[in-house]
Amino acid sequence: QIFQPLHTLRAAEKELLPGFHQFEWQPALKNVSASCNVGIINGLSGWASSVDDSPADTITRRFRYDVALVSALKDLEEDIMEGLRESGMEDSACTTGFSVMIKECCDGMGDVSEKHGGGPVVPEKAVRFSFTVMSVSVLADGEVEEVTIFTEPKPNSELSCKPLCLMFVDESDRETLTAVLGPIVAERNAMKESRLILSIGGLPRSFRFHFRGTGYDEKMVRELEGLEASGSTYICTLCDSSRAEASKNMVLHSITRSHEENLERYEIWRTNPFSESADELRDRVKGISAKPFMETQPTLDALHCDIGNATEFYKIFQDEIGEVYQKVNPSREERRSWRAALDKQLRKKMKLKPVMRMNGNYARRLMTLEAIEVVCELVPSEERREALTELMRLYLQMKPVWRATCPAKECPDQLCRYSFNSQRFADLLSTTFKYRYNGKITNYLHKTLAHVPEIIERDGSIGAWASEGNESANKLFRRFRKMNARQSKAFELEDVLK
């Protein structure tokens, strides 16, 4: 297989890469060329720079969005045909009415610089944008109900997560990020208005695409939707609650933010039609102070939710070891000693090494009843130990609901009890752990308590729409970049994108 002459490998590669299949759009896409055989392009193409624009000095490579989607659908050709057969749709009858649900993910990666090179260390950051085909359904002629003929069984695997664009950009550099993602947004908007005609199973069929940007962490959502950064008093990307309100009323909130509203609020922020002071204006627009430039689906990012809540529990553990609920202002030295005691205990009993920054694996180990038993050995008072155990029990009841790919199937009981559990959890926080939640609460804890049932009711799942696939593919990116890429910057991204 491997030792074949270069031209055969090239030919095989061409068939597998986007840009090989014929297709057409009806109506034709606005501002996108109609040619189908477009492979890897410069990520800045499609970005019309005006005279006074400073050219974005970054290296970025991408596929044209529609070409990449065609390639992903052709990969699923057999599954789609299989699905049609299983649902008893006569193959030749179904040529129109297909709709495809796409999950979009985008995530920044910290240091991806070369490790072995000499010379100064350049802070090199990368951003990857990718998509996953979540489901394909078809509405047959004269039918009322859509029939789902394909559902991605592993929506969080890096295998189902197709890279669309790679860029060497810092995700906090809003100007460059918008410059690179701008053309992608434009192509996506053009595709919403049009139908794709593509041959699947030997017959031309027409597809409509629905895009849902759910695979973003909170930092990215705030950036794309124009909100202030995550330390803001406006704590939530789904509702208008302020931190103080959210800590008083922990459970009863509903999702109110939307992309359209964010755009309207930005206009108000920009024009200040009522000539208000800065504070009044900020309160009116609820922290929207930049132009939202990409529509995201307001949801909760399951992976970072795990991590955020584990960090919070880790801090509660320290406070409980030091019995902060009795003390006024513990010194930094005292706090440090509690933390050292906690780390030592976790390392000894659970083999958990202290980590600089909480990560997914540490979070999963920490949030267990086993860990709480180990921690309780250091907590002096019996009733505090009971409260801590109760807190963790409730949390473990709630967690599967926003981690499961399909909660209604996988954990129906916990799903039914979620609101009850979150209410109990909130009661515990606002009574026994009042010292921590007086007027403040962390962003993810608020979302976990207030928004989960509503999102599940709307989408059917939180876990399936999370950013994990993209996150685990980041690991691959690092690997490919070090091992398999030709050592020149311009080629490198192309090799990794393949």
Coordinates of all heavy atoms in Angstrom, one line a residue, residues 182-262:
G182 N -14.4 35.6 8.4 CA -15.4 36.4 7.7 C -15.9 35.7 6.4 O -17.1 35.5 6.2
P183 N -15.0 35.3 5.5 CA -15.4 34.6 4.3 C -16.2 33.3 4.6 O -17.1 33.0 3.8 CB -14.1 34.3 3.6 CG -13.1 35.2 4.2 CD -13.5 35.5 5.6
I184 N -15.8 32.6 5.6 CA -16.5 31.4 6.0 C -18.0 31.7 6.3 O -18.9 31.0 5.9 CB -15.8 30.6 7.2 CG1 -14.5 30.1 6.7 CG2 -16.7 29.5 7.7 CD1 -13.7 29.3 7.7
V185 N -18.1 32.8 7.1 CA -19.5 33.2 7.5 C -20.3 33.6 6.3 O -21.4 33.2 6.1 CB -19.4 34.4 8.5 CG1 -20.8 34.9 8.8 CG2 -18.7 34.0 9.8
A186 N -19.6 34.3 5.3 CA -20.3 34.7 4.1 C -20.7 33.5 3.3 O -21.9 33.4 2.8 CB -19.4 35.6 3.3
E187 N -19.9 32.5 3.2 CA -20.2 31.3 2.4 C -21.4 30.5 3.1 O -22.3 30.0 2.4 CB -19.0 30.3 2.3 CG -18.0 30.8 1.3 CD -16.7 30.0 1.3 OE1 -16.7 28.9 1.8 OE2 -15.7 30.6 0.9
R188 N -21.3 30.5 4.4 CA -22.3 29.8 5.2 C -23.7 30.5 5.0 O -24.7 29.8 4.8 CB -21.9 29.8 6.6 CG -22.9 29.3 7.6 CD -22.6 30.0 8.9 NE -23.0 29.3 10.1 CZ -23.0 29.8 11.3 NH1 -22.8 31.1 11.4 NH2 -23.4 29.1 12.3
N189 N -23.7 31.8 5.0 CA -24.9 32.5 4.8 C -25.5 32.3 3.4 O -26.7 32.2 3.2 CB -24.7 34.0 5.1 CG -24.5 34.3 6.5 OD1 -24.9 33.5 7.4 ND2 -24.0 35.5 6.9
A190 N -24.6 32.3 2.4 CA -25.0 32.0 1.0 C -25.6 30.6 0.9 O -26.7 30.5 0.3 CB -23.8 32.1 0.1
M191 N -25.1 29.7 1.6 CA -25.6 28.3 1.5 C -27.0 28.1 2.2 O -27.7 27.3 1.8 CB -24.6 27.3 2.1 CG -23.4 27.1 1.3 SD -22.3 25.8 1.8 CE -21.6 26.5 3.3
K192 N -27.2 29.0 3.2 CA -28.5 28.9 3.8 C -29.7 29.2 2.9 O -30.8 28.7 3.0 CB -28.6 29.9 5.0 CG -27.9 29.5 6.2 CD -28.1 30.5 7.3 CE -27.2 30.3 8.5 NZ -27.2 31.5 9.4
E193 N -29.4 30.0 1.8 CA -30.4 30.5 0.9 C -30.6 29.6 -0.3 O -31.3 29.9 -1.2 CB -30.1 31.9 0.4 CG -29.7 32.9 1.5 CD -30.9 33.1 2.5 OE1 -32.0 33.3 2.0 OE2 -30.6 33.1 3.7
S194 N -29.8 28.5 -0.3 CA -29.7 27.7 -1.6 C -29.8 26.2 -1.3 O -29.7 25.8 -0.2 CB -28.4 28.1 -2.3 OG -28.3 27.4 -3.5
R195 N -30.0 25.5 -2.4 CA -30.0 24.0 -2.3 C -28.8 23.4 -3.1 O -28.5 23.9 -4.1 CB -31.3 23.4 -2.9 CG -32.5 23.8 -2.1 CD -33.8 23.4 -2.8 NE -33.7 23.8 -4.2 CZ -34.2 23.0 -5.2 NH1 -34.9 21.9 -4.9 NH2 -34.1 23.4 -6.4
L196 N -28.3 22.3 -2.5 CA -27.2 21.7 -3.1 C -27.7 20.5 -4.0 O -28.5 19.7 -3.5 CB -26.2 21.1 -2.1 CG -25.2 20.2 -2.6 CD1 -24.1 20.9 -3.3 CD2 -24.5 19.4 -1.4
I197 N -27.3 20.4 -5.2 CA -27.7 19.2 -6.0 C -26.5 18.4 -6.2 O -25.4 18.8 -6.7 CB -28.1 19.7 -7.5 CG1 -29.2 20.8 -7.4 CG2 -28.7 18.5 -8.2 CD1 -30.5 20.4 -6.8
L198 N -26.5 17.2 -5.6 CA -25.4 16.3 -5.6 C -25.8 14.9 -5.9 O -26.9 14.4 -5.4 CB -24.7 16.4 -4.2 CG -23.6 15.4 -3.9 CD1 -22.4 15.7 -4.7 CD2 -23.3 15.5 -2.4
S199 N -25.0 14.1 -6.6 CA -25.4 12.8 -6.9 C -25.0 11.8 -5.8 O -23.9 11.7 -5.4 CB -24.6 12.3 -8.2 OG -24.4 10.9 -8.1
I200 N -26.1 11.2 -5.2 CA -25.9 10.3 -4.1 C -26.6 9.0 -4.6 O -27.7 9.0 -4.9 CB -26.5 10.8 -2.8 CG1 -25.7 11.9 -2.2 CG2 -26.6 9.6 -1.8 CD1 -24.5 11.6 -1.5
G201 N -25.8 7.9 -4.6 CA -26.4 6.6 -5.0 C -26.8 6.6 -6.5 O -27.8 6.0 -6.9
G202 N -26.1 7.4 -7.3 CA -26.3 7.4 -8.7 C -27.4 8.3 -9.2 O -27.7 8.4 -10.4
L203 N -28.1 9.0 -8.2 CA -29.2 9.9 -8.6 C -28.9 11.3 -8.1 O -28.5 11.4 -6.9 CB -30.6 9.5 -8.1 CG -31.1 8.2 -8.7 CD1 -32.4 7.8 -7.9 CD2 -31.5 8.4 -10.2
P204 N -29.2 12.4 -8.8 CA -29.0 13.7 -8.3 C -30.1 14.0 -7.2 O -31.2 13.7 -7.4 CB -29.2 14.6 -9.5 CG -30.0 13.8 -10.5 CD -29.7 12.4 -10.2
R205 N -29.6 14.4 -6.1 CA -30.6 14.7 -5.0 C -30.3 16.1 -4.4 O -29.2 16.6 -4.5 CB -30.4 13.7 -3.8 CG -30.6 12.3 -4.4 CD -30.3 11.2 -3.3 NE -30.1 9.9 -3.9 CZ -31.1 9.0 -4.0 NH1 -32.3 9.2 -3.5 NH2 -30.8 7.8 -4.6
S206 N -31.4 16.7 -3.8 CA -31.2 18.1 -3.4 C -31.2 18.2 -1.8 O -32.0 17.6 -1.2 CB -32.3 19.0 -3.9 OG -33.4 19.0 -3.1
F207 N -30.2 18.9 -1.3 CA -30.0 19.0 0.1 C -30.1 20.5 0.6 O -29.6 21.4 -0.1 CB -28.6 18.5 0.5 CG -28.3 17.1 0.2 CD1 -27.9 16.6 -1.1 CD2 -28.5 16.1 1.2 CE1 -27.7 15.3 -1.3 CE2 -28.3 14.8 1.0 CZ -27.9 14.4 -0.3
R208 N -30.7 20.7 1.7 CA -30.6 22.0 2.4 C -29.8 21.8 3.7 O -29.8 20.8 4.3 CB -32.0 22.5 2.8 CG -32.7 23.1 1.6 CD -33.9 23.9 2.1 NE -34.6 24.6 1.0 CZ -34.1 25.7 0.4 NH1 -33.0 26.2 0.8 NH2 -34.8 26.2 -0.6
F209 N -29.0 22.8 4.0 CA -28.2 22.7 5.2 C -28.6 23.6 6.3 O -29.1 24.7 6.1 CB -26.7 23.1 4.8 CG -26.1 22.1 3.9 CD1 -26.1 22.2 2.5 CD2 -25.4 21.0 4.5 CE1 -25.5 21.3 1.7 CE2 -24.8 20.1 3.7 CZ -24.8 20.2 2.3
H210 N -28.5 23.1 7.5 CA -28.8 23.9 8.7 C -27.6 23.9 9.6 O -27.1 22.8 9.9 CB -30.0 23.3 9.5 CG -31.2 23.1 8.7 ND1 -32.1 24.1 8.4 CD2 -31.6 22.0 8.0 CE1 -33.1 23.6 7.6 NE2 -32.8 22.4 7.3
F211 N -27.1 25.1 9.9 CA -25.8 25.2 10.6 C -26.1 25.5 12.1 O -26.9 26.4 12.4 CB -25.0 26.3 10.0 CG -24.6 26.0 8.6 CD1 -25.4 26.5 7.6 CD2 -23.5 25.1 8.3 CE1 -25.0 26.2 6.2 CE2 -23.2 24.9 7.0 CZ -24.0 25.4 6.0
R212 N -25.5 24.8 13.0 CA -25.6 25.2 14.4 C -24.2 25.3 15.0 O -23.5 24.3 15.2 CB -26.4 24.1 15.2 CG -27.8 23.9 14.6 CD -28.7 23.2 15.5 NE -28.7 23.8 16.8 CZ -28.9 23.2 17.9 NH1 -29.2 21.9 17.9 NH2 -28.9 23.8 19.1
G213 N -23.8 26.5 15.4 CA -22.5 26.7 16.0 C -22.6 26.5 17.5 O -22.9 27.3 18.3
T214 N -22.4 25.2 17.9 CA -22.5 24.9 19.3 C -21.1 24.5 19.9 O -21.0 24.4 21.1 CB -23.4 23.7 19.5 OG1 -23.0 22.6 18.8 CG2 -24.8 24.1 19.1
G215 N -20.1 24.2 19.0 CA -18.9 23.7 19.6 C -17.9 24.7 19.9 O -16.7 24.7 19.5
Y216 N -18.3 25.7 20.7 CA -17.4 26.8 21.1 C -17.4 26.8 22.6 O -18.4 26.6 23.3 CB -18.0 28.2 20.6 CG -18.3 28.2 19.2 CD1 -19.6 28.3 18.7 CD2 -17.3 28.3 18.2 CE1 -19.9 28.3 17.4 CE2 -17.5 28.3 16.9 CZ -18.9 28.4 16.4 OH -19.1 28.4 15.1
D217 N -16.2 27.1 23.2 CA -16.2 27.3 24.6 C -16.7 28.8 24.9 O -16.9 29.6 24.0 CB -14.8 27.1 25.2 CG -13.7 28.0 24.5 OD1 -14.1 28.9 23.8 OD2 -12.5 27.7 24.7
E218 N -16.8 29.1 26.2 CA -17.5 30.3 26.5 C -16.7 31.5 26.0 O -17.2 32.5 25.5 CB -17.7 30.4 28.0 CG -18.3 31.7 28.4 CD -19.0 31.8 29.8 OE1 -19.4 30.8 30.3 OE2 -19.0 32.9 30.3
K219 N -15.4 31.4 26.1 CA -14.5 32.5 25.6 C -14.8 32.8 24.2 O -15.0 34.0 23.8 CB -13.1 32.1 25.8 CG -12.1 33.2 25.4 CD -10.6 32.8 25.7 CE -9.7 33.8 25.2 NZ -8.3 33.3 25.1
M220 N -14.9 31.8 23.3 CA -15.1 32.0 21.9 C -16.5 32.5 21.7 O -16.7 33.4 20.8 CB -14.8 30.7 21.2 CG -14.9 30.7 19.7 SD -13.6 31.7 19.0 CE -12.3 30.5 18.8
V221 N -17.5 32.0 22.4 CA -18.9 32.5 22.2 C -18.9 33.9 22.5 O -19.5 34.7 21.7 CB -19.9 31.7 23.1 CG1 -21.2 32.4 23.1 CG2 -20.0 30.3 22.7
R222 N -18.3 34.4 23.6 CA -18.4 35.8 24.0 C -17.7 36.6 22.9 O -18.2 37.7 22.6 CB -17.7 36.0 25.3 CG -18.6 35.5 26.5 CD -17.9 35.6 27.8 NE -18.8 35.2 28.9 CZ -19.6 36.0 29.5 NH1 -19.6 37.3 29.2 NH2 -20.4 35.6 30.5
E223 N -16.6 36.1 22.3 CA -15.9 36.9 21.3 C -16.8 37.0 20.0 O -16.9 38.0 19.4 CB -14.7 36.1 20.9 CG -13.5 37.0 20.7 CD -12.2 36.3 21.0 OE1 -11.8 36.2 22.1 OE2 -11.7 35.8 20.0
L224 N -17.4 35.8 19.6 CA -18.1 35.8 18.3 C -19.4 36.6 18.5 O -19.9 37.2 17.5 CB -18.4 34.4 17.9 CG -17.2 33.5 17.6 CD1 -17.7 32.1 17.2 CD2 -16.4 34.1 16.5
E225 N -20.0 36.6 19.7 CA -21.3 37.3 19.8 C -21.2 38.7 20.5 O -22.2 39.3 20.8 CB -22.2 36.4 20.7 CG -22.7 35.1 20.0 CD -23.8 35.3 19.0 OE1 -24.1 36.5 18.7 OE2 -24.4 34.3 18.6
G226 N -20.0 39.2 20.6 CA -19.8 40.6 21.0 C -20.0 40.8 22.5 O -20.2 42.0 22.9
L227 N -20.0 39.8 23.3 CA -20.2 40.1 24.8 C -18.9 40.4 25.4 O -17.8 40.2 24.9 CB -20.7 38.8 25.5 CG -22.2 38.6 25.5 CD1 -22.5 37.6 24.4 CD2 -22.5 37.9 26.8
E228 N -19.0 41.0 26.6 CA -17.7 41.3 27.4 C -17.1 40.0 27.8 O -17.8 38.9 27.7 CB -18.1 42.1 28.6 CG -18.7 43.4 28.3 CD -19.3 44.0 29.6 OE1 -19.5 43.4 30.6 OE2 -19.6 45.2 29.5
A229 N -15.8 40.0 28.2 CA -15.1 38.8 28.6 C -15.8 38.1 29.8 O -16.6 38.7 30.5 CB -13.7 39.1 28.8
S230 N -15.3 36.9 30.1 CA -16.1 36.1 31.0 C -16.0 36.5 32.5 O -16.8 36.0 33.3 CB -15.6 34.6 30.9 OG -14.2 34.6 31.1
G231 N -15.2 37.5 32.8 CA -15.2 38.0 34.2 C -16.3 39.1 34.4 O -16.4 39.6 35.5
S232 N -17.0 39.3 33.3 CA -18.0 40.4 33.3 C -19.1 40.2 34.4 O -19.4 39.0 34.8 CB -18.6 40.5 32.0 OG -19.9 41.1 32.0
T233 N -19.8 41.3 34.8 CA -21.0 41.1 35.7 C -22.1 40.3 34.9 O -22.9 39.7 35.6 CB -21.6 42.4 36.1 OG1 -21.5 43.3 35.1 CG2 -20.8 42.9 37.4
Y234 N -22.1 40.5 33.6 CA -23.1 39.7 32.8 C -22.6 38.3 32.6 O -21.8 38.1 31.7 CB -23.5 40.4 31.5 CG -24.1 41.7 31.8 CD1 -23.3 42.9 31.8 CD2 -25.4 41.8 32.3 CE1 -23.9 44.1 32.2 CE2 -25.9 43.0 32.7 CZ -25.2 44.2 32.7 OH -25.7 45.3 33.1
I235 N -23.0 37.4 33.5 CA -22.3 36.2 33.7 C -22.6 35.1 32.6 O -21.9 34.2 32.4 CB -22.6 35.7 35.1 CG1 -22.7 34.2 35.2 CG2 -23.8 36.2 35.6 CD1 -22.9 33.8 36.7
C236 N -23.7 35.3 31.9 CA -24.3 34.2 31.1 C -24.3 34.6 29.6 O -24.7 35.7 29.3 CB -25.7 33.9 31.6 SG -26.3 32.4 30.9
T237 N -24.0 33.6 28.8 CA -24.1 33.8 27.3 C -25.5 33.4 26.9 O -25.8 33.5 25.7 CB -23.1 33.0 26.6 OG1 -23.2 31.6 27.0 CG2 -21.7 33.5 26.9
L238 N -26.4 32.9 27.8 CA -27.7 32.5 27.4 C -28.8 33.5 27.9 O -29.9 33.6 27.3 CB -28.1 31.1 27.9 CG -27.2 30.0 27.3 CD1 -26.1 29.6 28.4 CD2 -28.0 28.8 26.9
C239 N -28.6 34.1 29.1 CA -29.6 35.0 29.6 C -29.0 36.3 30.1 O -27.8 36.4 30.1 CB -30.4 34.3 30.7 SG -29.4 34.1 32.2
D240 N -29.8 37.3 30.5 CA -29.3 38.6 30.8 C -28.9 38.7 32.3 O -28.6 39.8 32.7 CB -30.3 39.6 30.5 CG -30.6 39.7 29.0 OD1 -29.7 39.3 28.2 OD2 -31.7 40.2 28.6
S241 N -28.9 37.7 33.0 CA -28.7 37.8 34.4 C -27.3 38.3 34.8 O -26.4 38.1 34.1 CB -28.8 36.4 35.0 OG -28.4 36.4 36.3
S242 N -27.3 39.1 35.9 CA -26.0 39.6 36.3 C -25.5 38.6 37.4 O -26.3 37.8 37.9 CB -26.1 41.0 37.0 OG -26.8 40.8 38.2
R243 N -24.2 38.7 37.8 CA -23.7 37.8 38.7 C -24.4 37.8 40.0 O -24.8 36.7 40.6 CB -22.2 38.1 38.9 CG -21.4 36.9 39.4 CD -19.9 37.2 39.4 NE -19.4 37.3 38.1 CZ -19.0 36.3 37.3 NH1 -19.1 35.1 37.7 NH2 -18.5 36.5 36.1
A244 N -24.8 39.0 40.5 CA -25.4 39.1 41.8 C -26.8 38.4 41.8 O -27.2 37.7 42.6 CB -25.5 40.5 42.2
E245 N -27.6 38.7 40.7 CA -28.9 38.1 40.5 C -28.8 36.6 40.5 O -29.5 35.9 41.1 CB -29.6 38.6 39.2 CG -30.1 40.0 39.2 CD -30.4 40.4 37.8 OE1 -30.6 39.6 36.9 OE2 -30.3 41.7 37.6
A246 N -27.8 36.1 39.7 CA -27.7 34.7 39.5 C -27.3 34.0 40.8 O -27.7 32.8 41.0 CB -26.6 34.4 38.5
S247 N -26.6 34.7 41.7 CA -26.3 34.0 43.0 C -27.5 34.0 44.0 O -27.6 33.2 44.9 CB -25.1 34.6 43.6 OG -25.4 35.9 44.1
K248 N -28.4 35.0 43.8 CA -29.6 35.1 44.6 C -30.6 34.0 44.2 O -31.1 33.2 44.9 CB -30.2 36.4 44.6 CG -29.6 37.4 45.6 CD -30.5 38.6 45.8 CE -29.8 39.9 46.1 NZ -28.9 40.3 45.0
N249 N -30.9 34.1 42.8 CA -31.9 33.2 42.3 C -31.1 32.3 41.4 O -30.7 32.6 40.3 CB -32.9 34.0 41.5 CG -33.6 33.2 40.4 OD1 -33.6 32.0 40.5 ND2 -34.2 33.9 39.4
M250 N -30.8 31.1 41.9 CA -29.8 30.2 41.2 C -30.5 29.4 40.0 O -29.8 28.9 39.1 CB -29.1 29.3 42.1 CG -28.1 30.0 43.0 SD -27.2 28.8 44.0 CE -26.1 29.9 44.9
V251 N -31.8 29.1 40.1 CA -32.4 28.1 39.3 C -33.3 28.7 38.2 O -33.4 28.2 37.1 CB -33.1 27.1 40.1 CG1 -33.7 26.0 39.2 CG2 -32.2 26.5 41.1
L252 N -34.1 29.8 38.6 CA -35.1 30.2 37.6 C -34.7 31.2 36.6 O -34.8 32.4 36.9 CB -36.3 30.7 38.5 CG -36.9 29.7 39.4 CD1 -37.8 30.3 40.5 CD2 -37.6 28.5 38.7
H253 N -34.2 30.8 35.5 CA -33.8 31.7 34.4 C -34.2 31.1 33.1 O -34.2 29.8 33.0 CB -32.3 31.9 34.4 CG -31.8 32.6 35.6 ND1 -31.8 34.0 35.7 CD2 -31.2 32.2 36.7 CE1 -31.2 34.4 36.9 NE2 -30.9 33.3 37.5
S254 N -34.5 31.9 32.1 CA -34.8 31.2 30.8 C -33.9 31.9 29.8 O -33.4 33.0 30.0 CB -36.2 31.3 30.4 OG -36.6 32.6 30.4
I255 N -33.7 31.1 28.7 CA -32.7 31.6 27.7 C -33.4 32.8 26.9 O -34.4 32.6 26.4 CB -32.5 30.5 26.7 CG1 -31.8 29.3 27.4 CG2 -31.6 30.9 25.5 CD1 -31.6 28.1 26.6
T256 N -32.7 33.9 26.9 CA -33.2 35.1 26.2 C -32.3 35.6 25.1 O -32.8 36.2 24.2 CB -33.5 36.2 27.2 OG1 -32.3 36.4 27.9 CG2 -34.6 35.8 28.2
R257 N -31.0 35.4 25.2 CA -30.1 36.0 24.2 C -30.2 35.3 22.9 O -30.5 34.1 22.8 CB -28.7 35.9 24.7 CG -28.4 36.8 25.9 CD -26.9 36.8 26.1 NE -26.5 37.4 27.4 CZ -26.1 38.7 27.5 NH1 -26.2 39.5 26.5 NH2 -25.8 39.2 28.7
S258 N -30.1 36.0 21.8 CA -30.0 35.4 20.5 C -29.1 36.3 19.6 O -28.9 37.5 20.0 CB -31.4 35.4 19.9 OG -31.8 36.7 19.6
H259 N -28.7 35.8 18.5 CA -27.8 36.5 17.7 C -28.4 37.8 17.2 O -27.8 38.9 17.2 CB -27.4 35.6 16.5 CG -26.3 36.2 15.6 ND1 -25.0 36.5 16.1 CD2 -26.3 36.7 14.3 CE1 -24.3 37.0 15.1 NE2 -25.1 37.1 14.0
E260 N -29.7 37.8 16.8 CA -30.4 39.0 16.3 C -30.4 40.0 17.3 O -30.1 41.2 17.1 CB -31.8 38.6 15.8 CG -32.0 37.9 14.5 CD -31.4 36.5 14.6 OE1 -31.7 35.8 15.6 OE2 -30.7 36.1 13.7
E261 N -30.8 39.6 18.5 CA -30.9 40.6 19.6 C -29.5 41.2 19.9 O -29.4 42.4 20.2 CB -31.5 39.9 20.9 CG -31.7 40.9 22.0 CD -32.0 40.2 23.3 OE1 -31.1 39.3 23.7 OE2 -33.0 40.5 24.0
N262 N -28.5 40.3 19.9 CA -27.2 40.9 20.2 C -26.8 41.9 19.1 O -26.2 42.9 19.5 CB -26.1 39.7 20.1 CG -26.3 38.8 21.3 OD1 -27.0 39.1 22.3 ND2 -25.7 37.6 21.2

